[in-house]
């Protein structure tokens, strides 16, 4: 979606909006940490993010990679910075191609700062001298595919403090095809509002987006203000100076000052604010809280579909997915990225067998062996695994091998049932409660356009011991409303589903639209998911040394247990699945595998250890 369209939507709705800026970190661990933070900050509700351009080499490549990650895997609309610094036409074209293929539709075109080793900015051979040249090139090459933003300077820039000259340059950039303006950071609101008036007097009508820098610490606040040469109001210094050595007090006072500034900007008719996060969350979150802009039960984050959409190339129209990847969105995107087209309106049988290989980036278990042992301990028996899953359901841990995000809010409806199953050795890895026609604006279950109603069938997915499976199978097949698929790692599939076709487990009814069925259960995609689910378990096992009780126990579970999914096709009855599973329990949940040492075995179950 183009940024100018977002701005128009904010004006039409009367609801202010905001966005975030990030920059490429210098280390691999820093990049991963930032991806995790970007995903958490997605839940703040930004309309888009922008990613600064790292001029030269690996950092420039990382900007492009971060755009791909944001668009395809995080579902964040990204605006990619692109500068003239050290960029000939070939390198500019390469960056634009990568942005295009990532599904990116917004570019912020900048001249850029001179490299550190140069005092004065100089164009490269065959390069672009000014941002207006870059704007003209992008517009000529890609037409209207990219919305193109440019920088605005309410207080001047490093090498030019002549406001009239800068306004002339701004007009030239807009005349060349720029469609929105993002300002440098500032704290003097009165000057900004005056400057906006002068911009409009020049006949520049495109949206203006003010750059807001939250206050994290006194030292960083002063450093950035001095670096950007922006004026700090005297009353701000009077309030911050006395508490400059107390970071908590600085953030608390700073959030109020910045929030008041934001309110004045909004009152002047500017509907969107752009926060320079410096890759940090706390100071920005505090300002959003002060403005009462964070999602809440009264103002929930709106979702077009019940799962996070990918904004990767060709995927914007995708509206149907199998439920199996409900907790592993990135993996699903990675395994389907080579599809020529994506399901829209219905799930076509032809695309099910086309899932990518399991060795692609983003599919396997993340983190080092040491990190994973620290997260999940060293389980040696089924009760240990069950306890770990119960901790996840209680939000004591955020991730599991089969879940890349904290447990969903809607799980609260069936939380006690899920805990009970795990206590009995039925290991639950995916579920959804039944929902019978709640409003599409519901804070937990809602999705899609307003004034609609959404529905869900109860769904449960578990690892099941081979000792319990025959009885579970008998009970399900005796119940007319339940369908199941069960498979072992070796691929022995059993099911009572009458068709290989899709079974919709989530759907919505909206005014003026056909019924939308965005989540399905389907046989062939379940078999593709089966490979991934068992591989994740085996990768978890390999976090422990060969022959240890943890390794042996996890390997046995993955090699002998069933992966089972159950659908209750009567969405009026939410607890039927749990009723059918009542009374089933694994015996010897505390039994520890025999330790293997030098070809021999060492008994380690609890009974022998206590003898």
């Amino acid at each position: 979606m183009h940024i100018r369209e977002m701005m128009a939507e904010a004006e039409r709705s009367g609801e202010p909006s905001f966005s975030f800026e990030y920059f490429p970190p210098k280390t691999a661990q820093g990049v991963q940490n930032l991806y995790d933070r970007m995903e958490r900050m997605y839940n703040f509700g930004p309309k888009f993010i922008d990613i600064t351009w790292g001029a030269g080499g690996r950092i420039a490549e990382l900007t492009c990679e971060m755009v791909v990650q944001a668009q395809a895997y995080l579902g964040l609309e990204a605006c990619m910075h692109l500068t003239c610094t050290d960029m000939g036409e070939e390198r500019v074209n390469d960056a634009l191609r990568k942005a295009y293929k990532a599904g990116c539709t917004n570019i912020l075109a900048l001249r850029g700062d001179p490299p550190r080793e140069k005092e004065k900015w100089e164009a490269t051979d065959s390069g672009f001298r000014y941002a207006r040249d870059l704007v003209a090139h992008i517009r000529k090459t890609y037409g209207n595919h990219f919305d193109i933003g440019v920088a605005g300077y309410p207080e001047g820039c490093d090498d030019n403090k002549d406001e009239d000259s800068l306004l002339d340059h701004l007009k030239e950039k807009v005349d060349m095809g720029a469609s929105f303006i993002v300002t440098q950071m500032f704290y003097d609101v009165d000057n900004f509002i005056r400057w906006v008036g002068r911009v409009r007097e020049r006949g520049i009508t495109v949206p203006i987006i003010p750059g807001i820098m939250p206050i994290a610490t006194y030292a960083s606040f002063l450093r950035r203000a001095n670096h950007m040469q922006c004026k700090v109001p005297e009353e701000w210094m009077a309030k911050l100076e006395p508490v400059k050595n107390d970071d908590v007090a600085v953030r608390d006072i700073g959030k109020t000052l910045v929030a008041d500034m934001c309110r004045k900007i909004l009152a002047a008719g500017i509907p969107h604010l752009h926060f320079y996060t410096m890759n940090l969350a706390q100071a920005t979150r505090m300002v959003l809280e002060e403005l009462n802009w964070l999602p809440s039960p009264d103002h929930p984050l709106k979702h077009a579909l019940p799962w996070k959409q990918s904004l990767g190339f060709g995927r914007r129209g995708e509206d149907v997915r199998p439920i199996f990847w409900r907790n592993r969105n990135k993996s699903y995107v990675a395994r389907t990225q080579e599809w020529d087209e994506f399901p829209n309106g219905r799930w076509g049988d032809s695309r099910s067998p086309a899932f990518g290989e399991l060795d692609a980036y983003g599919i396997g278990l993340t983190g080092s062996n040491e990190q994973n042992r620290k997260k999940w301990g060293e389980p040696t028996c089924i009760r240990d695994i069950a306890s770990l899953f119960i901790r996840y359901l209680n939000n004591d841990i955020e991730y599991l091998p089969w879940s890349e995000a904290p447990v969903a809010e809607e799980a609260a409806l069936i939380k006690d049932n899920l805990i009970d199953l795990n206590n009995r050795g039925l290991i639950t890895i995916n579920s959804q409660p039944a929902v019978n026609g709640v409003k599409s604006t519901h804070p937990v279950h809602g999705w899609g356009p307003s004034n609609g109603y959404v529905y869900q069938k109860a769904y449960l997915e578990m690892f099941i011991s081979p000792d319990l499976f025959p009885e579970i199978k008998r009970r399900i097949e005796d119940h007319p409303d339940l369908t199941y698929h069960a498979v072992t790692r070796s691929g022995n599939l059993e099911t009572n589903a009458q068709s290989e076709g899709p079974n919709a487990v989530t759907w919505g009814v909206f005014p003026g639209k056909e019924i939308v069925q965005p989540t399905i259960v389907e046989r062939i995609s379940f078999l593709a998911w089966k490979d991934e689910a068992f591989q994740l378990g085996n990768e978890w096992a390999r976090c422990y040394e060969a022959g240890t009780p943890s390794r042996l126990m996890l390997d046995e579970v993955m090699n002998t247990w069933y992966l089972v999914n159950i659908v209750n096709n009567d969405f009026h009855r939410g607890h039927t699945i749990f009723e059918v599973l009542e009374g089933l329990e694994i015996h010897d949940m505390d039994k520890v595998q025999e330790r293997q040492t030098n070809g021999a075995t060492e008994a380690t179950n609890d009974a022998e250890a206590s003898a």
Side-chain angles (χ1 to χ4, degrees):
M1 186 177 187
H2 284 162
I3 287 174
R4 67 174 182 271
E5 294 170 352
M6 301 178 203
M7 303 303 100
E9 181 182 305
E11 288 187 358
R12 281 194 306 269
S13 67
E15 295 183 6
S17 56
F18 57 91
S19 50
F20 299 147
E21 178 179 285
Y22 301 102
F23 62 84
K26 295 181 179 179
T27 67
Q29 186 59 54
V31 171
Q32 186 55 55
N33 291 342
L34 179 57
Y35 287 156
D36 293 341
R37 182 167 291 137
M38 288 166 63
E39 188 157 23
R40 290 194 297 271
M41 293 178 73
Y42 168 97
N43 295 312
F44 294 178
K47 284 293 184 181
F48 69 92
I49 65 167
D50 74 2
I51 299 171
T52 65
W53 183 256
R58 172 61 186 151
I59 302 299
E61 293 177 8
L62 185 53
T63 295
C64 297
E65 290 175 14
M66 289 176 65
V67 170
V68 171
Q69 185 79 9
Q71 294 275 153
Y73 298 103
L74 302 182
L76 285 163
E77 200 77 64
C79 175
M80 187 180 81
H81 288 212
L82 188 58
T83 74
C84 302
T85 302
D86 286 343
M87 295 287 286
E89 184 172 336
E90 183 177 345
R91 293 186 63 194
V92 165
N93 287 336
D94 181 62
L96 290 170
R97 276 193 298 271
K98 290 176 179 177
Y100 181 90
K101 290 180 179 179
C104 176
T105 60
N106 299 285
I107 298 288
L108 188 63
L110 306 165
R111 189 198 70 175
D113 298 324
R116 291 185 182 275
E117 65 273 11
K118 297 180 181 180
E119 294 184 5
K120 187 176 180 180
W121 195 93
E122 297 176 358
T124 60
D125 294 338
S126 77
F128 302 94
R129 183 167 184 81
Y130 299 113
R132 65 172 182 255
D133 303 325
L134 190 54
V135 171
H137 176 75
I138 298 170
R139 191 63 73 202
K140 178 182 177 181
T141 308
Y142 284 90
N144 291 323
H145 174 79
F146 290 113
D147 213 15
I148 306 172
V150 292
Y153 302 97
E155 296 178 323
C157 63
D158 282 347
D159 55 359
N160 191 350
K161 298 297 182 182
D162 184 334
E163 183 168 278
D164 287 325
S165 171
L166 288 170
L167 289 172
D168 289 341
H169 295 331
L170 184 59
K171 183 69 164 61
E172 290 172 354
K173 290 185 283 189
V174 172
D175 289 345
M176 288 293 180
S179 44
F180 65 94
I181 299 164
V182 181
T183 77
Q184 292 280 41
M185 62 172 282
F186 62 87
Y187 294 115
D188 187 341
V189 180
D190 293 335
N191 179 67
F192 166 74
I193 294 171
R194 179 200 61 79
W195 178 83
V196 170
R198 294 214 62 200
V199 171
R200 297 309 184 207
E201 288 172 0
R202 293 292 181 110
I204 300 171
T205 60
V206 301
I208 296 173
I209 301 173
I212 310 296
M213 179 74 77
I215 298 174
T217 67
Y218 184 78
S220 63
F221 159 68
L222 276 190
R223 183 171 61 252
R224 289 162 192 157
N226 291 334
H227 176 71
M228 302 307 299
Q229 302 178 36
C230 67
K231 177 184 174 183
V232 178
E234 291 181 6
E235 58 268 29
W236 285 41
M237 296 303 298
K239 292 180 178 180
L240 292 168
E241 173 73 22
V243 297
K244 63 182 181 182
N245 295 319
D246 184 342
D247 288 348
V248 173
V250 167
R251 281 193 292 271
D252 193 55
I253 293 172
K255 75 174 182 184
T256 303
L257 294 171
V258 174
D260 287 343
M261 179 179 81
C262 293
R263 293 186 184 99
K264 291 178 183 177
I265 294 170
L266 296 169
I270 303 291
H272 185 96
L273 308 177
H274 187 61
F275 289 94
Y276 296 120
T277 70
M278 302 306 293
N279 290 1
L280 302 172
Q282 185 179 18
T284 301
R285 177 184 55 77
M286 291 174 70
V287 174
L288 295 175
E289 284 178 338
E290 186 74 9
L291 293 168
N292 198 28
W293 284 4
L294 288 180
S296 67
D298 293 331
H299 302 284
L301 190 62
K302 295 179 181 178
H303 300 283
L305 292 165
W307 35 265
K308 186 183 292 185
Q309 287 178 284
S310 170
L311 302 179
F313 185 76
R315 299 194 81 128
R316 289 176 185 265
E318 179 185 16
D319 64 4
V320 185
R321 284 188 186 177
I323 196 172
F324 316 121
W325 284 270
R326 170 188 173 97
N327 298 322
R328 286 182 55 79
N329 178 70
K330 297 174 194 172
S331 169
Y332 181 81
V333 172
R335 294 192 65 186
T336 58
Q337 63 184 334
E338 299 301 324
W339 288 3
D340 294 328
E341 57 181 329
F342 299 90
N344 178 265
R346 64 181 294 274
W347 178 266
D349 294 338
S350 61
R351 65 191 68 264
S352 298
F355 288 93
E357 297 300 321
L358 295 175
D359 58 357
Y361 172 79
I363 294 175
L365 202 63
T366 60
S368 67
N369 289 351
E370 182 180 357
Q371 289 170 331
N372 291 331
R373 289 195 300 269
K374 186 175 180 179
K375 278 190 293 190
W376 301 319
E378 300 196 11
T380 58
C381 61
I382 300 303
R383 191 174 303 282
D384 289 345
I385 295 181
S387 297
L388 188 66
F389 277 69
I390 291 169
R391 289 179 60 208
Y392 174 73
L393 292 167
N394 284 323
N395 290 301
D396 294 331
I397 55 175
E398 291 187 336
Y399 311 108
L400 288 172
W402 298 272
S403 298
E404 63 187 16
V407 65
E409 285 186 73
E410 70 171 10
L413 286 178
I414 53 175
K415 175 181 172 180
D416 291 343
N417 304 99
L418 297 173
I419 288 175
D420 176 59
L421 287 175
N422 283 282
N423 272 326
R424 292 188 275 125
L426 288 74
I427 306 302
T428 62
I429 65 169
N430 195 357
S431 63
Q432 73 174 24
V435 172
N436 183 14
V438 303
K439 291 286 287 183
S440 58
T441 53
H442 190 280
V444 175
H445 306 295
W447 54 272
S450 302
N451 302 316
Y453 288 87
V454 298
Y455 301 80
Q456 291 182 178
K457 297 176 183 177
Y459 174 83
L460 182 64
E461 187 176 333
M462 306 169 287
F463 283 116
I464 295 295
S465 165
D467 296 333
L468 294 183
F469 177 68
E471 176 61 16
I472 290 175
K473 175 183 174 182
R474 184 192 67 77
R475 293 187 185 190
I476 293 173
E477 291 181 341
D478 284 348
H479 200 289
D481 294 326
L482 301 184
T483 51
Y484 79 96
H485 295 82
V487 67
T488 59
R489 184 184 181 191
S490 61
N492 299 318
L493 176 69
E494 299 189 45
T495 180
N496 66 343
Q498 298 299 307
S499 167
E500 290 189 3
N503 177 7
V505 292
T506 306
W507 65 99
V509 181
F510 307 100
K513 298 184 68 173
E514 294 183 357
I515 292 176
V516 181
Q517 302 178 4
T519 315
I520 55 113
V521 166
E522 185 261 351
R523 184 178 302 179
I524 299 177
S525 55
F526 176 61
L527 292 177
W529 162 244
K530 174 267 296 184
D531 294 336
E532 184 173 328
F534 282 109
Q535 174 170 297
L536 288 166
N538 284 125
E539 289 180 0
W540 182 19
R542 289 197 292 273
C543 292
Y544 307 96
E545 291 185 10
T548 60
S550 295
R551 175 76 166 266
L552 295 170
M553 183 268 300
L554 288 169
D555 276 341
E556 181 181 6
V557 169
M558 291 300 104
N559 292 332
T560 64
W561 285 36
Y562 285 81
L563 179 66
V564 180
N565 71 64
I566 308 172
V567 177
N568 180 9
N569 294 290
D570 183 355
F571 57 89
H572 297 92
R573 297 178 59 84
H575 284 76
T576 300
I577 294 176
F578 302 112
E579 293 165 1
V580 166
L581 298 174
E582 282 183 1
L584 295 171
E585 183 174 358
I586 288 183
H587 299 295
D588 298 326
M589 284 185 64
D590 297 306
K591 181 180 179 181
V592 177
Q593 283 283 346
E594 293 183 336
R595 180 186 297 272
Q596 295 181 354
T597 56
N598 298 324
T601 60
E602 178 185 342
T604 57
N605 69 48
D606 287 352
E608 295 183 22
S610 61

